Amino acid sequence: QSALTQPASVSGSPGQSITISCTGTSSDVGGYNYVSWYQQHPGKAPKLMIYDVSNRPSGVSNRFSGSKSGNTASLTISGLQAEDEADYYCSSYTSSSVGVFGGGTKLTVL
Amino acid sequence: EVQLVQSGAEVKKPGESLKISCKGSGYSFTSYWIGWVRQMPGKGLEWMGIIYPGDSDTRYSPSFQGQVTISADKSISTAYLQWSSLKASDTAMYYCARGGAMVIRAFDIWGQGTMVTVSS
């Protein structure tokens, strides 16, 4: 299956909100509520930020939120902070009974 | 503490075989899926495959089917990723991650990664 489609980069100023989109098909994002989002800082392992479309794991700031409409999922980060600067990846379960990641989005905090 | 600890970095030559490991602790190893994720230098995450140690049910992403083998030894709470003949293009960081209890969903716990370098 093809990777999910994410914008290559997004940017925002401290305190602002940004949204990262993740577009798939009815065989992945649109067909299941198993969309997750990961944050990865340089040289570090990815960290789960959102699971099952909109749920936050314990310890993740409530500035991070997720949603889905049709074949597109979104990650919104409100009150942008310098430490949010990182790469973000979406992922979804698929009709092939495996998962798939998006290409990744580099978030720059201006 | 729930954690996954991976084996150390490897440097291999093309054509050699390799098996890297991922040991789980702090939870019921047989009750959660364990997946493998590749990250080539400077590139994004790629979903390779996943195994359910409880019954060894294994799934592979089409891009990796036939290229690698995923296995697990539940007696020592360890999952493995192996290659029979490495290529230079296998050079990457490989992460294992816990992938959900009954259903393959999010990867909530990640290993620290194993860097594999394949060079002549």
Side-chain angles (χ1 to χ4, degrees), chain B residues 3-33:
Chain B
Q3 61 178 350
L4 297 172
V5 178
Q6 298 184 228
S7 50
E10 301 275 0
V11 179
K12 291 289 192 179
K13 291 180 170 23
E16 292 185 330
S17 63
L18 176 64
K19 191 174 190 177
I20 61 175
S21 66
C22 168
K23 183 174 177 60
S25 62
Y27 72 100
S28 175
F29 185 75
T30 55
S31 300
Y32 288 80
W33 292 87

Side-chain angles (χ1 to χ4, degrees), chain A residues 1 34 36 38 40 43-48 50-52 89 91-93 96-103, chain B residues 37 39 43-47 49-50 59-63 95 103-113:
Chain A
Q1 64 277 0
Y34 294 141
S36 51
Y38 303 87
Q40 187 180 35
K44 301 294 187 183
K47 174 186 176 183
L48 178 65
I50 296 287
Y51 67 97
D52 295 355
Y89 297 89
S91 181
S92 175
Y93 183 70
S96 299
S97 301
V98 293
V100 63
F101 283 106
Chain B
V37 176
Q39 188 167 38
K43 302 298 184 182
L45 305 177
E46 298 175 271
W47 213 100
I50 199 162
R59 322 268 178 88
Y60 294 93
S61 180
S63 300
Y95 294 101
V103 183
I104 298 171
R105 47 206 308 188
F107 288 133
D108 62 345
I109 304 295
W110 290 69
Q112 82 276 22

